[in-house]
Amino acid sequence: MDVFDSIEQANEPAIVDFHTEVTVSEAARLLGVSRPTLYRLIDAGELTTRRVAGTHKQMVPLTEVQRLRESTAAKDAALAEIDAAVAEGFPY
């Protein structure tokens, strides 16, 4: 289950260490996108990562995952509002 959905649905306060980092694969799963899509977001500068010294591995802070989720949710809501207005016959 998505860690952020779990936190939102919990009946008790959740303590999450937002200094925690996840792998690119874990971040992709949390965001519901493929790894190539996540790498495109990283390359475009939309997601900040930390490279593990001496490796090619990148780690993604949970705060970055949450920020991107909230940004995507806001964009989706705006598009839904436009779609509803168009469906009602209002030009946008």
Side-chain angles (χ1 to χ4, degrees), residues 14-69:
I15 298 173
V16 176
D17 180 5
F18 281 102
H19 296 287
T20 299
E21 296 174 318
V22 295
T23 65
V24 169
S25 295
E26 291 167 327
R29 186 181 56 76
L30 289 170
L31 292 166
V33 300
S34 67
R35 283 181 46 223
T37 297
L38 195 73
Y39 279 114
R40 282 193 290 276
L41 292 169
I42 292 167
D43 291 342
E46 293 186 40
L47 193 65
T48 303
T49 63
R50 178 185 64 83
R51 200 169 283 285
V52 177
T55 70
H56 293 288
K57 189 174 187 177
Q58 295 182 64
M59 300 300 288
V60 182
L62 276 179
T63 53
E64 283 292 293
V65 174
Q66 180 63 18
R67 183 189 57 75
L68 191 59
R69 280 176 51 103

